[in-house]
Every structure is written in structure tokens, then in C-alpha cells.
Amino acid sequence: GAWPARPIQKAAAKLYSQPELLDTYFEKLDQKIAERMNLLQQGLDELGEYGVEYVMPEGGIYLTTRFNLFSVLGVTTNEEIRKWLLEEAGVAIVPFQAFGLEQETGWFRISVGAVSVQDISAAMDRLETALKSKFGHAPSA
């Protein structure tokens, strides 16, 4: 179980002997990830007035995002915010408690790794609709 099967080893060796193919693949992958991340950031930027903020990533497929919705939802835990976002907006996020944070701060992680541009756009629309519905209106600046 520790080593890949021989056909997989042969296929990998053939691929690694053609570095231009790997370079092209990773360039396209990086472009796709950047496009999805930029779209997510743009969508969240538009929701800042609802207590949504994020930390600019330095790479990768995850965006550290805060949904400071405790008072508007009348909740006290990240888990309650996570559940509300999933049920009301269809947005799946991971609370920072999964990474050892003990405090209930509203910080979560969102991944763009397994979603399309269309998925992110639709999720941002659902999220905006859910937040507007909960706030009853767009919050005042």
C-alpha cells in the first residue's frame, strides 16, 4: 500500500519527462484558481456592510473570512453562523474551531478549490439575498 502501482509510476515518469506539459497545466490551474478567488473576493467586498470581511490570501485555495453575524442572527457560536449560512444561502464554510481556535469569533475558511466561477457567482447571489432578508434591508453605512 505505500507505493503507487507500476502503471501509475510509468505514467508519472512519462509526464515528468515532458516539463512543458506540467508547466502549461500548472499555469492554467493557477489562472483558474486566481479567477475564482478574485470573484469570491469581489462578491464579499460587496457584502462588507453586512459584517463580512476577509484577509487577503497570499496564495492557495482558501479565503479566511469573517461573518460577524452574532447579533443579527441572535447566536453565540460559529457553528450557528455556519449552519445558518448553509441552510439559508447554500454556502458551505469551515469554522476556525476545526483548526484549533477556541474563541467564537465569526472567522471561517472558504475554499475555491472544487467550485466553478458559475458556482461562486451563484453562491454570492444567494448569500446577498440571505443577508438582505435577515437584515430586512441593506444596512446603513
Side-chain angles (χ1 to χ4, degrees):
W3 302 103
R6 185 163 176 80
I8 295 171
Q9 292 178 28
K10 284 185 170 189
K14 183 176 180 180
L15 180 62
Y16 283 112
S17 70
Q18 301 174 50
E20 65 282 352
L21 288 178
L22 284 175
D23 291 343
T24 300
Y25 170 79
F26 284 116
E27 285 173 17
K28 287 180 182 177
L29 179 63
D30 289 347
Q31 290 170 358
K32 290 177 182 179
I33 290 171
E35 180 182 14
R36 294 187 307 238
M37 185 62 75
N38 289 336
L39 183 61
L40 178 61
Q41 290 171 314
Q42 289 170 6
L44 294 176
D45 283 341
E46 295 175 11
L47 301 176
E49 61 189 323
Y50 296 101
V52 179
E53 60 185 299
Y54 61 88
V55 176
M56 289 295 292
E58 293 183 20
I61 61 172
Y62 303 105
L63 186 63
T64 298
T65 307
R66 185 171 190 211
F67 291 93
N68 190 8
L69 303 174
F70 295 104
S71 62
V72 73
L73 297 179
V75 300
T76 59
T77 68
N78 284 3
E79 177 58 20
E80 291 169 299
I81 293 172
R82 183 208 61 79
K83 186 176 179 182
W84 184 84
L85 289 169
L86 182 61
E87 292 174 354
E88 298 299 320
V91 174
I93 57 178
V94 179
F96 263 47
Q97 279 77 13
F99 312 107
L101 181 68
E102 293 181 16
Q103 298 84 7
E104 302 293 344
T105 60
W107 284 101
F108 300 85
R109 185 159 86 170
I110 301 175
S111 173
V112 298
V115 294
S116 68
V117 167
Q118 294 80 11
D119 292 335
I120 293 170
S121 182
M124 291 298 97
D125 290 344
R126 292 190 311 270
L127 183 56
E128 181 178 16
T129 298
L131 289 169
K132 281 183 178 178
S133 172
K134 191 61 182 175
F135 276 82
H137 55 76
S140 56

